[in-house]
Amino acid sequence: MSGQKFRLAVCSSGAVALGAFEAGVLSQLYADTFELRGGAFDVNIDVVAGASAGAVTGVILTQAIAATEPPTSLTARMQALWVQGLSLTKLLGSTANQSNSLFDPASIDSLASHTILDDATMRKNGGSSAPVKVTLSIAITNLDGIPIRLPNAYRLQSAYYSLFADYETLAIRGGVPHSLGPVEQLSKGPISQRPSSWNAVKELAIASSAFPFAFQSRALVRDLQNYPDSVNPRLSQKQTFNYSDGGLLDNNPIGRAIDAAAYQERLEKLEAVERYFVVVEPDPVTEESAQNSYEQGAHSPNGLPPLELAGKVTDTYFTNALSRDLLKALRVNEQLRQLNKLVEGGTMSKALEKEVRVAMGLDFKRLVNLERIVPLHHDMPLEGAFGAHFGGFLDKAYRAYDFAAGCSAARVWVNDWLAHVGSSQFALSSELQAQPVARAPQLKQQFAGIDVAALSKEKSLLSNRAVALIRNHLQAHGLLGFVADIVLRWVHGLVGKYLNRTMR
């Protein structure tokens, strides 16, 4: 077993408050692999892909890897954000703010700035004599769409469409993020690397985390040179677009991780390593939930009620990307196996195989070994899972529990994976093995919702903010008046009733 090298690509998805579980998983995964890094059994996390809540968590993990941060320090940063920081009261901030979102953007900016390290700190921490090199990919959703031209799509005609599923891939070298060009360049020559900043990465992560209506959409400047088929603008190649939650179209970015791994392996000339893609799923589909899906909901001749319809549309967006990426990964695996079989059987030469791989977009792709980390109690939701995954924001103890649940799930996966790759002699030390990095708090009522009486302040703040949001919109359009006041009072009562029902 001596001399074996393994590389992990971690995919951290959108999960709203269940990001606390993901933060626990990544903290424990980092702590356990930290001990194995660079040894006889060499295990490194060198690729991170994040969307939505997983984007901010992914950036924090990436910084830790690049700076060889002590595991206790990373855990403290993760807990500062996901356990202590992301409470409903802090998210609401000033309920009188003028943003077009439920939560105060100033609060989000402050929390991110306190947990994502700045450029000076990262240059100091990541500029060591033997800096760790890692590639990060962040999924973002362009709400305006980037105009794309497909030449000769039809006979003698071009076709135009808009690109909404966007992303940014960055190579971290010496603690400095470098923006990489489009993935298509992997087969076309040298990879362009343009120095960026951690402030720009922070803005990308915040935009990726901007769940619609709850969080404010973000304006980002994009360089259209990174979109080879984009319509050439009349003025500058740099254009500003509105961005929102990366999880809308790419919630569990396995595809982004596969492309980022291709970048990493080409840049670092990684050949004699075995790679595993680790997907973190806080709320996986189980056998029981799959069966229940056949029985859920009444089928009214008048169609679904608006709120139920909105919920189902949201679920469709968030779950479709995972199944799409999984199917794509399985197809890539099958294509590579077939090519390998042809080469090994002498039917195809190595030179022809290389040409075929380039033509099929498989250049620098390899077999995708997929792994997943899910809660240990598969049929029991995490504490913060209720209220469309927003429930965890209502109580610190719930986030602490989910964080610790993530640590435990990661520890179980690490032990199972080490056994799978046959590395029992390189198991974790007894000191690390004894206890995950965080303990779960003792809860009076596990998985039983939240005591409404204890949260009257939060309920009132949330109702007031919902009303302020609608009032701001009406005022901007000159629609405030007697009728509007009646509507706002009705909305306040409606929100209160909904919270009573949800928080029971």
Side-chain angles (χ1 to χ4, degrees), residues 44 62 137 144 165-166 179 197 204 210 217 230 238 276 279 307 325 338 342 405-406 434 438 459 463 482 497:
N44 273 312
T62 300
S137 187
D144 303 312
D166 201 357
S179 181
S197 69
L204 284 165
S217 61
S230 62
K238 294 186 176 181
Y276 285 81
V279 180
L307 289 178
D325 278 357
Q338 290 298 324
L342 291 172
K459 186 180 72 172
S463 299
F482 176 73
K497 289 179 181 178

Side-chain angles (χ1 to χ4, degrees), residues 464-488:
N464 291 341
R465 178 56 195 154
V467 170
L469 185 60
I470 297 173
R471 182 186 296 277
N472 291 344
H473 184 73
L474 293 175
Q475 186 175 30
H477 291 81
L479 298 176
L480 282 180
F482 176 73
V483 175
D485 287 339
I486 295 176
V487 171
L488 290 173

Side-chain angles (χ1 to χ4, degrees), residues 107-126:
S107 298
I108 310 301
D109 292 342
S110 176
L111 287 167
S113 296
H114 279 87
T115 49
I116 295 177
L117 304 178
D118 60 20
D119 290 288
T121 303
M122 282 302 299
R123 278 194 298 271
K124 178 181 176 182
N125 296 348

